[in-house]
Amino acid sequence: MPILEVRDITKSFGRTEVLRGISFSLERGQALAIIGSSGSGKTTLLRCLNFLETPDTGTISVNGETLFDAASHAALSDAEIRRSRLHFGMVFQSFNLFPQYTALENVMLARELLAKGQPDYKTNKKRIHEEIEAEARALLDKMSLSNRAGNYPHQLSGGQQQRVAIARALALQPDILCFDEPTSALDPELTGEVLAVIRELADQHMTMVIVTHEMAFAHDVADRVIFMDEGVIAEEGAPDEVFSDQAGERIRLFLSRFNQNGGS
């Protein structure tokens, strides 16, 4: 059974159709790369998966559980949305760290907020806090940021901030880790360090959905690639299939323009 099933998702803003009948599935342990030109609907699709946007039609299921069904007349409550989001870890292109918290506190924050809602929190507050801190420090160590735990975001480079954001997304042990163009806000020399982290997660068979403009990275790391164009999935398949000379005309034109612009 696929870990993620998306069926017939549509989304419009006013009269503009941004997503038109998007359907795909993802197996546990796979990395899915979503590519396409600006305005093709990539980020909107990711935001629908994480319930930052509400689709107009369609269903979203994780582990066989339907998290969203537009045919249902009952709107999801805030509590249901928060619970559904726990299945997804989100890494934004502009980091979105809380500037008033240190790197360590950013990674700990969501876990601590959830812990406070548990019935045994008051009686076990110290132990729970110590456990959350130890796990957060372990994640920062995994991101090679042990020596930056006490730094605030403005004291970190863009690459370091993005690695903190990845650690934060991993802290809740999500089923699926989502990346929204995680290197687009970085200088070229910092891009490699973030891509290296994602490569390592792929090697560890973390289930991931990665919106990216890094074509070589998508080819080398993804198990499957979706090419979006004007709100639809124009091509889908293994990287060698999508990037082959036999790929459809729209993606060949996109790749041609991408290469002419120097990969930007």
Side-chain angles (χ1 to χ4, degrees):
M1 179 178 65
I3 188 171
L4 173 65
E5 289 189 273
V6 175
R7 291 288 172 263
D8 207 24
I9 290 293
T10 66
K11 180 64 179 177
S12 296
F13 295 101
R15 297 182 179 180
T16 303
E17 290 183 297
V18 180
L19 299 176
R20 299 185 288 155
I22 300 293
S23 297
F24 66 91
S25 61
L26 183 63
E27 299 294 329
R28 184 178 299 276
Q30 283 190 332
L32 170 68
I34 302 178
I35 63 173
S37 58
S38 178
S40 61
K42 309 183 301 298
T43 291
T44 299
L45 172 58
L46 210 59
R47 290 175 64 84
C48 285
L49 293 182
N50 200 43
F51 301 95
L52 294 171
E53 300 287 354
T54 302
D56 298 326
T57 67
T59 62
I60 299 171
S61 302
V62 174
N63 290 324
E65 176 189 359
T66 300
L67 302 182
F68 174 81
D69 184 353
S72 171
H73 295 294
L76 293 177
S77 67
D78 289 343
E80 288 173 320
I81 290 174
R82 286 195 297 269
R83 184 180 67 82
S84 296
R85 281 181 179 156
L86 293 177
H87 293 283
F88 299 90
M90 188 75 174
V91 180
F92 299 91
Q93 56 184 296
S94 55
F95 326 133
N96 285 21
L97 299 179
F98 293 102
Q100 70 272 34
Y101 296 130
T102 65
L104 179 63
E105 290 167 341
N106 265 280
V107 178
M108 294 176 61
L109 183 60
R111 284 286 310 277
E112 292 214 307
L113 289 174
L114 285 175
K116 288 178 180 179
Q118 300 303 312
D120 63 338
Y121 177 74
K122 288 185 178 180
T123 55
N124 297 291
K125 182 177 179 179
K126 182 178 178 182
R127 175 184 59 79
I128 292 171
H129 176 82
E130 289 174 348
E131 290 175 355
I132 292 173
E133 180 176 342
E135 291 170 7
R137 288 188 182 278
L139 284 170
L140 287 175
D141 182 58
K142 188 175 183 178
M143 299 296 139
S144 301
L145 290 171
S146 295
N147 62 335
R148 295 290 191 171
N151 288 136
Y152 291 89
H154 74 272
Q155 298 172 312
L156 303 173
S157 71
Q160 290 168 339
Q161 289 187 66
Q162 194 61 295
R163 282 182 281 152
V164 172
I166 295 172
R168 180 180 61 181
L170 289 169
L172 292 176
Q173 300 179 334
D175 293 302
I176 303 160
L177 195 56
C178 299
F179 295 87
D180 184 11
E181 299 201 21
T183 62
S184 64
L186 301 179
D187 294 332
E189 61 268 24
L190 299 176
T191 294
E193 65 186 50
V194 173
L195 294 182
V197 170
I198 302 175
R199 287 177 189 273
E200 183 178 346
L201 292 172
D203 290 340
Q204 296 168 0
H205 304 291
M206 180 75 198
T207 308
M208 297 185 288
V209 179
I210 310 165
V211 171
T212 183
H213 60 273
E214 301 285 346
M215 296 299 112
F217 171 77
H219 181 275
D220 294 343
V221 173
D223 297 289
R224 292 174 52 234
V225 176
I226 282 176
F227 167 60
M228 291 185 64
D229 186 36
E230 297 182 351
V232 301
I233 295 177
E235 296 281 345
E236 179 180 6
D240 285 341
E241 296 171 344
V242 174
F243 292 109
S244 72
D245 293 336
Q246 286 73 44
E249 182 179 353
R250 282 193 283 188
I251 190 170
R252 288 201 303 271
L253 179 60
F254 165 73
L255 292 174
S256 174
R257 289 174 176 170
F258 182 86
N259 292 331
Q260 287 173 5
N261 291 331
S264 60

